[in-house]
Amino acid sequence: MSTTAGPMARREAKLAYSMLLPTIFVVLAIVLLPLAATFWISVKPVTLNDLRAPEATAKARLRGSLEAAGDSAILEFRLRNTSQQKPVSDITFKATMPTGITITEVDPRCQYAAPDLSCDFDDFPAKFSERLKIPVTADASYIKNPVPLKSITPLMSGTSDNVLTNFSFTTSNFTKIFDSESFWHVLWVTMVYTFAGTIGALIMGLFAAQLLQREFKGRTVVRGLFLFPYVAPVIAMAFTWLVLFDPYSGVVNALLKQMGVVSESINFFGIRDTPIDLFGMEFQFPVALSMVIAFEIWRYFPLAFMFIMARMQSIPTDMYEAAEMDGASPLQQFWSLSLPQLAGILAVLFLLRFIWTFNKFDDIFLLTGGNAGTRTLTVDVYEQAFALSNLGAGSAVAVVIFVLLLIMSLLYFRSIPKEEGL
Amino acid sequence: MIKYLTPFYVMLTGGIWAVLSGISITVIIALLSGLPIRPTLSVFFITGIIGAIWIAIASRTGRDTRHKQISFVIHAVTLLLLSLFQPFNAPLSDGILWQLLGIAGFSWIQSTVMYNILATLDKDSINRRNLELSFISSMRHFGFLFFGVMILLPLYVLIMSSLKSQQELLMNPLNLMPDFGQSLPDLFRSYIELFTKFNFDTYLLNATIVSVTTVIITLLFAVPGAYAVSRLNFPGRVLLSRSILMIYLVPAIVLVIPLYAVFSQLGLRNSLTGLLLVYPATTLPVALYMLQGYFRGLPRELEEAGMMDGCSRIRVILTITLPLSLPALASVSLYVFMIAWNEFLFAFMFLDDPDMFTLSRGVVSLNSSEVPRQHLMAGAVIATAPILVIFLWAERFLVQGLTAGSVKG
């Protein structure tokens, strides 16, 4: 094949690019730009309040009354800077007077070219407020057709320093999160959660796939039921678990008490850890964390199940027949035939699930809100950015997530077996 | 060796299974009847051992279905005698029908399982292979019980707790059965109130609009993209197809802060338009990935024949490739619909105005102390029901489509 592109090849490439363009554009706008912006925000001192840009506003009101032709009154504009912290500069103001209203005296900062009044103000400092008084008179045409003067809405514009776009940077977001002790705990919890959740889901998926490998009546229905935790909305499933394990009105606690396993209700999603005595060694068992891991396994084993099942159905049956002839026992067949055949898909699933579990936010957020020792990195992003209103620190955590993710993805592409797709 | 191990295996299997089925049946009866019952595990354990020994001995002359019936009677009688007619730690006269049902249920499970597991071990065939088969069979039965409980119990609790108030549940958490004696509007009060007082009609409509539109946009973008990646040659193809997967791995939480900031300033935050910008972007990579896997599997020759006949590339796609890909399109649509319908994070972050809520957002808004809890659960049922119906109806497509992308063969 020649390396120089002929006209055919060029046309094909052009077609390909035009077909991909919409996708690339959308992904660029909604994924890659925000990703870059996360890095940007992570080095800036931005809080939730900074999102409302400072604005100059004006509100009209009439002092006196205009009831007959020739009456005069004061039209008053209350000028304000909405921000408590930041000044607004280079403010322009423009208002149009209704027919029949004449301004009799013009403020030095303004020009009056009937019917428009336009003004230029220099600066409104933070919390600034001023009353701009304008004496007006009304003539007969206004009295005939009066318009309430307080309905005048002036057009105002001004520039203010937007912390999102200016060039002041800080490293305090990163030093803050790395210095806090909770961050390392959060990292540890994330790793435990991700690892246990992934392994658990894979083992359960493997088990479930073994169950449904053989044909039997009603297999499709059972398979549908097995997939239920995965397809149902996370909110529904999370609240179901909360109700199921409720310390006061939950079924599980009531059963445990009735069966005599425990004497007091356990607040499964509320307690951090409980001492457990195992062969004379006491250790702290993390209750809430185990529960969210159990939820994660329960919710995502169907995915592993689905992929493993599909792979198992493609293993040629004559391999088993040959093994049977050679006298291999069923467990030996599973161990030395099925498992090696499944190794590829298990590896892929492990890495994919590892990354997805690592990325998971909804489940823990809904179950515990990240309390009781279950805060993972993703929940920490929310906590920092929205609960503590520090968007900069939240973004810094998000950057940490992304960097860790990048490392894992590179690992994924390195180790993915060639025959398993891509 | 195997010969001497077998009796222990038989007894242990019988005992452990009896404990398992004893607990399961007690839980079921307790949930259905609300009776304060509790199994005496030691009694169940010994009953199981006796039953297992009997079936193992009886099967020495070969499998016989009559053994199952005899085994049933043996289990029931042994259980009653050993427990002094109180297998559930309650006087037998309390809800006697329920308790008898429990004993019958236990005996039925135990005799069936033991027959399936142990009757294969007749005298001449005790060897490693058959022992393993028996053990695997035991694990299979356990698996079905385990997964059955794990999936059906939450489903049952989800539905029942939407029909019953928390006060009633506080009185007896095990009595999940709603009062079926009341009139239908009373029974389904929380559902009716959600639609009449809590705007769930709007939420349902919003969720449908958002999900369907997301599916349409995603397909419109992903079909040409996937075709280009899988069929056309162009510089940067490999890089692009890998980047697609990389982007699929970027978590939503990393994007949410800048999107929140920008959408706030553009006024897109409280609008379905905002969601419709974000959802297709998050579903596009996976849709593209699934579709290109499918396109790759289609025979090239068909398209080449079309090209030979003078069709343009676009025409070939429309008249040959797409009709052949209907199953894949169906599964991608289903999957994307599911993602959009279930999406929580962006809906939660972006929507504050109740007129714009999707179902996910609407259900979360019910999670407050001012709203009765059965409303929350009814909301959860409303959010789950459509997706479950669609899914059970088209499950085959989803499974095929999801797995086709990455699994060959």
Side-chain angles (χ1 to χ4, degrees), chain A residues 391-406:
Chain A
L391 290 182
S395 298
V397 181
V399 166
V400 173
I401 291 179
F402 184 74
V403 170
L404 289 174
L405 200 67
L406 207 63

Side-chain angles (χ1 to χ4, degrees), chain B residues 2 6 121-122 124-133:
Chain B
I2 298 277
T6 308
L121 293 173
D122 57 61
D124 306 320
S125 60
I126 295 180
N127 54 30
R128 176 169 172 182
R129 202 188 110 83
N130 280 355
L131 209 59
E132 278 187 12
L133 277 179

Side-chain angles (χ1 to χ4, degrees), chain A residues 12-13 15-17 19-20 22-24 26-27 30-31 34-35 37-38 41 48 50-51 162 164 204 207-208 210-212 214 216 220 222-237 239-240 243-244 246 248-251 254-255 258-260 298 301 306-307 310-311 314 324 329-332 345 352 355-356 359 361-362 365-366 378 381-382 385-386 391 394-395 398 401-402 405-406 409 412-413 418-422, chain B residues 26-27 30-31 35-39 128-129 132-133 136 139-140 142-144 146-147 150-155 157-158 161 166 169-170 173-174 176 221 224-225 227-229 231-235 240 242 245-251 253-255 257-261 264-265 277-278 281 284 288-289 296 313 317 335 338 342 344-345 348-349 360 363-364 367 373 376-377 380 383-384 387-388 391-392 395 398-399 402-403 406-409:
Chain A
E12 193 169 307
L15 180 67
Y17 289 133
M19 287 171 104
L20 276 162
T23 301
I24 294 175
V26 168
V27 168
I30 306 291
V31 180
L35 197 60
T38 301
I41 298 174
L48 212 47
D50 294 324
L51 289 187
N162 189 337
L164 276 172
M204 290 267 290
F207 188 26
Q210 296 294 329
L211 286 183
L212 295 200
R214 257 191 286 162
F216 60 88
T220 353
V222 175
R223 190 174 66 175
L225 275 177
F226 274 25
L227 296 181
F228 162 71
Y230 175 66
V231 294
V234 60
I235 36 144
M237 295 302 100
F239 286 130
T240 304
V243 166
L244 194 62
D246 189 282
Y248 307 107
S249 59
V251 172
L255 278 175
Q258 185 163 319
M259 303 292 163
W298 177 77
F301 88 85
M306 210 153 59
F307 279 87
R311 185 73 187 86
S314 69
E324 191 83 12
S329 76
L331 286 181
Q332 279 172 332
I345 189 70
L352 275 181
I355 291 172
W356 278 326
N359 287 350
F361 165 80
D362 313 1
F365 180 72
L366 286 168
T378 49
V381 173
Y382 178 86
F386 298 99
L391 290 182
S395 298
I401 291 179
F402 184 74
L405 200 67
L406 207 63
S409 313
Y412 171 65
F413 283 119
K418 269 280 176 295
E419 66 271 21
E420 297 295 339
L422 273 186
Chain B
T26 315
V27 167
L31 284 182
L35 285 172
I37 52 176
R38 161 162 76 88
R128 176 169 172 182
R129 202 188 110 83
E132 278 187 12
L133 277 179
I136 289 172
M139 289 310 283
R140 279 178 67 83
F142 171 72
F144 281 114
F146 176 71
F147 282 107
M150 250 184 29
I151 286 161
L152 294 179
L153 182 66
L155 193 58
V157 168
L158 168 67
S161 54
Q166 193 171 13
L169 279 178
L170 276 172
L174 288 182
L176 284 165
F221 284 31
Y227 186 86
V229 172
R231 273 284 192 271
L232 302 177
N233 271 315
F234 58 92
L240 207 79
R242 292 211 156 178
L245 208 70
M246 288 288 269
I247 284 162
Y248 188 34
L249 300 177
V250 174
I253 194 81
V254 171
L255 309 178
I257 294 175
L259 286 175
Y260 182 91
S264 295
Q265 297 193 332
L277 281 175
V278 178
L284 251 175
L288 223 147
Y289 181 64
R296 241 170 233 176
R313 186 67 85 163
I317 295 175
Y335 192 57
M338 195 185 96
N342 293 350
F344 166 73
L345 175 61
F348 177 69
M349 295 302 303
S360 288
V363 173
V364 175
N367 184 22
R373 203 184 63 185
L376 173 68
M377 298 318 284
T384 311
I387 202 85
L388 206 60
F391 171 74
L392 285 177
E395 172 216 333
L398 182 73
V399 175
L402 257 186
T403 51
S406 77
V407 185
K408 288 183 179 171

